[in-house]
Amino acid sequence: MNFLHSMIRVKDIEKSLRFYKELLGLNLLNKNSLEDCDLYFLGESEKECQIELTYNYETPAEGYSNGSGFGHFAFATNNMSEFCLKAKEMGYDFLYEPFELELKDEKGNSSFKKIAFIKDPDGNEIEIIEE
C-alpha cells in the first residue's frame, strides 16, 4: 500500500498555488477539471506523495474550516534562514518563529532539529523542519 496524496479545499487557487509552488517549491504535476471543481496535484515528482488542492467553483465566501483533528503538513528545508527570509519577503508571517526542538531516542541520546510553523492562505498549518 502506498500513500498517494492528501486533499485540501482552497478558497483562492492563485494564492494557494503561489504559496505551495513559489514558497515551498512544489511542482504542479497534474491538473484535472471536473464539472464542479479543478484539482491541482503538487509534489516533487509523480512517484512521491502529493498534495491535491481542490478549488470548488462554488466556494463559501468565508472559505473552509478544518476539523479539530487536523494538525499540520510538514516539509523539509535545507536552510531555515533562507526559507524564513523568502517567506518574509513574500509577505508570510510565522505562527511560530524557528526554534530548536530536542529529540531523544530510546537510549536517551539527544539530537536537535530547527522547526517553524507558518500558515497557508487558507489557514492550514505547515511545519518547516531544517534537515
Side-chain angles (χ1 to χ4, degrees):
M1 187 75 59
N2 292 325
F3 183 53
L4 299 177
H5 69 265
S6 183
M7 183 276 276
I8 55 174
R9 289 180 176 84
V10 299
K11 180 178 176 181
D12 184 323
I13 190 61
E14 294 306 319
K15 285 183 182 178
S16 294
L17 287 172
R18 179 177 183 260
F19 180 87
Y20 286 97
K21 287 173 58 182
E22 294 180 31
L23 180 61
L24 297 184
L26 299 180
N27 301 309
L28 178 60
L29 302 171
N30 199 344
K31 179 188 175 204
N32 298 337
S33 294
L34 304 176
E35 82 179 43
D36 63 343
C37 64
D38 290 329
L39 312 175
Y40 298 80
F41 294 87
L42 296 105
E44 292 183 33
S45 73
E46 292 282 345
K47 295 182 181 185
E48 302 292 326
C49 187
Q50 301 168 22
I51 289 184
E52 174 189 338
L53 304 180
T54 296
Y55 174 70
N56 290 46
Y57 303 145
E58 293 184 22
T59 301
E62 67 279 1
Y64 300 98
S65 61
N66 290 325
S68 61
F70 177 77
H72 62 266
F73 295 113
F75 290 86
T77 182
N78 291 327
N79 188 309
M80 184 67 77
S81 296
E82 286 179 11
F83 175 84
C84 291
L85 182 62
K86 183 176 183 179
K88 289 180 182 182
E89 286 174 352
M90 292 179 70
Y92 296 108
D93 294 321
F94 282 87
L95 182 61
Y96 299 105
E97 295 281 339
F99 62 94
E100 292 275 333
L101 178 67
E102 181 179 12
L103 303 170
K104 290 189 178 186
D105 66 17
E106 57 193 35
K107 295 180 182 178
N109 299 316
S110 292
S111 63
F112 293 88
K113 291 216 177 223
K114 192 177 284 188
I115 68 171
F117 284 84
I118 194 167
K119 286 190 175 187
D120 76 2
D122 291 282
N124 297 298
E125 290 185 22
I126 308 296
E127 179 180 9
I128 306 299
I129 303 169
E130 186 174 66
E131 294 272 305

